[in-house]
Amino acid sequence: MTVSKMAQNLIGSEIIRVAGEVNAMIAKGEPICNLTIGDFNPSIYPIPEELRKGITKAYEQGHTNYPPANGVAVLRKAVVAFTKERLGLTYPENDILVAGGSRPLIYATYLALVDPGDKVVYPTPSWNNNHYCHLSGATPVEVKTRPENNFMPTAEDVKPHLKGATMLALCSPLNPTGTMFSKKDLEEICDLVLEENRSRGEGEKPLYVLYDQIYWMLTFGNAEHYDPVSLRPDMRDYTVYIDGTSKCFAATGVRVGYAFGPTVVMDKMKSILGHVGAWAPKAEQMAMAEFLGQPEEVDGFMGEFKPKVQESLNVLYNGFQELKSEGYAVDAIEPMGAIYLSAKMDLAGKTAPDGKVLETSQDITFYILHEAKLAVVPFSAFGSGKDLNWFRLSVGGASLEEIKASLGRLREALQKLK
């Protein structure tokens, strides 16, 4: 029996493969500090209490039928008000599209804009663009980024690839790195996009930007979130925003995401998702609409949630800096946003106690997992080469105590290498 060529060549998630081994070790009772999944442990990071009560109330009120395909009206109105108040972006209610998290919205953006063979430009590392290109038949154009610029693409990086491209996929704060665009870098990229679109002839497809800002509320220190339309209003015709509540409210399982952008694009995305049926549950939508309209509750939750995430990230970052100062071949980039730390473990060529020579980032991943009981994800899971020994460490699923304990075990594992 045969399946489609797309299905035959579909690559499984490397994150899920690592998670499978992690879960098997946990099932055996091993004390794993699991920093692999971009999720939250509800016992450590529960959703806002008012949101939880609102979901229960919505079910009690009978909101158990189909929601409208583009999202319930009260939620779309709440998103309009929330986005205008918090980001200064004004979009009409009909240009808001709600779905079951951000993934269906990203996929719908690809399907609405990209024909098979069209060029999609995206930086590496970045989350899942390689897979969405495969699913949509796009021609992927990977732009390698550098730790010197926090793994964020610059105008110089993307400029050679924009001619004839259909989409530029960007994310800030970035999954997997936890880093963000500077104002200057994003302004310069927007200027390139506008310049490219002015050069295109009548009837030629524009160059669009998919801008994933699902983590924008999770920024730390002096880091400031920037977006294309706020910096360059003319980008409004070319920017599709991916947003939602999964990350900012530790509500990944609540599955309420939303997108907004040019009317002509949003209308097609609505039709695509209408056929797919990737809706957020109606009760959760009703509850989220009510919660977004309670600024004191939102701010109260974020006032406790953000410092807790930041503390875990800082403990990890400082731990790596301490190991670096002791002469170990590790490093980390100071966390700016999201729930991720970019950490370098440059251990290729080292020999493990069992005689195995570590050659790739996967080798390092599994050595650290088994010797330090620390589960991380290599950047190769996000499109980078297996020779790039940088890793994503996600803090949402581990307690501060687990993270602190893992750093001691990591030191011991590094000491064992020759």
Side-chain angles (χ1 to χ4, degrees):
M1 182 179 293
T2 59
V3 295
S4 70
K5 291 180 180 178
M6 184 278 289
Q8 287 177 28
N9 296 312
L10 189 63
I11 301 170
S13 168
E14 190 171 339
I15 304 173
I16 292 175
R17 281 200 293 272
V18 174
E21 182 135 355
V22 170
N23 291 333
M25 293 175 70
I26 291 172
K28 293 177 183 176
E30 298 192 44
I32 306 297
C33 180
N34 188 359
L35 306 183
T36 61
I37 304 296
D39 197 2
F40 299 93
N41 182 333
S43 67
I44 303 169
Y45 297 102
I47 66 172
E49 180 63 15
E50 287 302 308
L51 176 59
R52 187 192 64 78
K53 291 178 181 177
I55 293 170
T56 302
K57 182 177 74 173
Y59 277 108
E60 290 173 346
Q61 291 175 341
H63 292 293
T64 55
N65 58 327
Y66 284 136
N70 60 341
V72 298
V74 289
L75 176 56
R76 287 183 284 114
K77 288 176 182 175
V79 168
V80 167
F82 190 78
T83 302
K84 182 177 181 180
E85 174 66 26
R86 304 274 172 158
L87 290 170
L89 294 170
T90 303
Y91 281 79
E93 178 190 333
N94 285 339
D95 287 347
I96 307 295
L97 175 59
V98 178
S102 63
R103 294 181 197 224
L105 296 163
I106 296 173
Y107 187 38
T109 306
Y110 270 80
L111 293 185
L113 298 179
V114 177
D115 289 309
D118 281 359
K119 284 171 53 179
V120 173
V121 181
Y122 58 89
T124 59
S126 65
W127 182 80
N128 251 29
N129 284 299
N130 54 336
H131 298 298
Y132 288 119
C133 283
H134 181 77
L135 290 169
S136 63
T139 299
V141 180
E142 297 183 345
V143 178
K144 290 184 179 180
T145 57
R146 305 174 304 282
E148 294 79 15
N149 198 52
N150 298 326
F151 290 108
M152 298 301 295
T154 65
E156 183 181 2
D157 294 330
V158 302
K159 184 175 182 178
H161 308 290
L162 298 185
K163 183 60 64 178
T166 295
M167 191 164 78
L168 172 62
L170 302 174
C171 176
S172 183
L174 178 62
N175 181 2
T177 63
T179 57
M180 301 167 60
F181 275 118
S182 69
K183 182 180 181 185
K184 177 178 178 290
D185 282 345
L186 187 55
E187 283 178 333
E188 291 177 351
I189 289 174
C190 289
D191 289 340
L192 286 179
V193 172
L194 292 171
E195 179 185 354
E196 173 61 24
N197 279 313
R198 284 193 293 268
S199 75
R200 298 199 175 184
E202 187 177 349
E204 202 173 349
K205 192 185 292 185
L207 169 62
Y208 288 99
V209 170
L210 184 158
Y211 198 71
D212 181 351
Q213 58 175 20
I214 192 75
Y215 293 97
W216 71 266
M217 291 183 73
L218 286 175
T219 60
F220 310 116
N222 295 322
E224 187 173 347
H225 174 71
Y226 298 101
D227 73 89
V229 176
S230 294
L231 295 179
R232 295 290 186 266
D234 287 348
M235 285 292 296
R236 187 182 180 95
D237 290 339
Y238 309 114
T239 306
V240 176
Y241 286 89
I242 305 297
D243 210 330
T245 60
S246 297
K247 306 297 185 176
C248 56
F249 301 139
T252 51
V254 176
R255 309 309 301 146
V256 178
Y258 49 85
F260 50 93
T263 302
V264 62
V265 179
M266 300 313 299
D267 284 347
K268 297 305 180 185
M269 289 172 62
K270 290 175 194 175
S271 297
I272 290 166
L273 289 187
H275 290 301
V276 173
W279 306 321
K282 188 178 180 183
E284 278 78 352
Q285 291 193 44
M286 299 298 293
M288 192 63 72
E290 185 175 358
F291 184 69
L292 290 179
Q294 299 174 303
E296 290 185 2
E297 295 292 342
V298 171
D299 292 339
F301 175 79
M302 296 303 296
E304 295 182 4
F305 175 52
K306 278 179 60 171
K308 194 172 179 180
V309 172
Q310 186 175 7
E311 184 178 12
S312 286
L313 287 168
N314 285 344
V315 165
L316 268 180
Y317 172 74
N318 292 331
F320 270 83
Q321 292 306 309
E322 186 175 328
L323 290 169
K324 179 183 176 182
S325 71
E326 295 171 11
Y328 295 106
V330 301
D331 203 353
I333 297 173
E334 187 170 1
M336 302 169 69
I339 57 174
Y340 309 115
L341 180 79
S342 289
K344 182 181 184 182
M345 291 185 279
D346 198 10
L347 309 180
K350 302 272 187 186
T351 303
D354 63 359
K356 176 179 172 58
V357 177
L358 305 181
E359 297 178 352
T360 67
S361 58
Q362 282 92 339
D363 292 341
I364 296 168
T365 297
F366 287 105
Y367 174 75
I368 295 300
L369 174 60
H370 288 281
E371 289 294 330
K373 311 302 182 191
L374 176 62
V376 302
V377 181
F379 278 9
S380 60
F382 305 98
S384 296
K386 294 182 179 181
D387 58 343
L388 183 66
N389 294 323
W390 282 83
F391 301 82
R392 185 185 84 169
L393 281 62
S394 175
V395 300
S399 69
L400 190 60
E401 292 71 25
E402 289 173 321
I403 290 170
K404 289 177 178 177
S406 74
L407 289 167
R409 296 195 300 268
L410 176 59
R411 178 183 279 104
E412 293 173 6
L414 295 173
Q415 288 172 346
K416 293 177 183 178
L417 293 170
K418 296 178 182 178

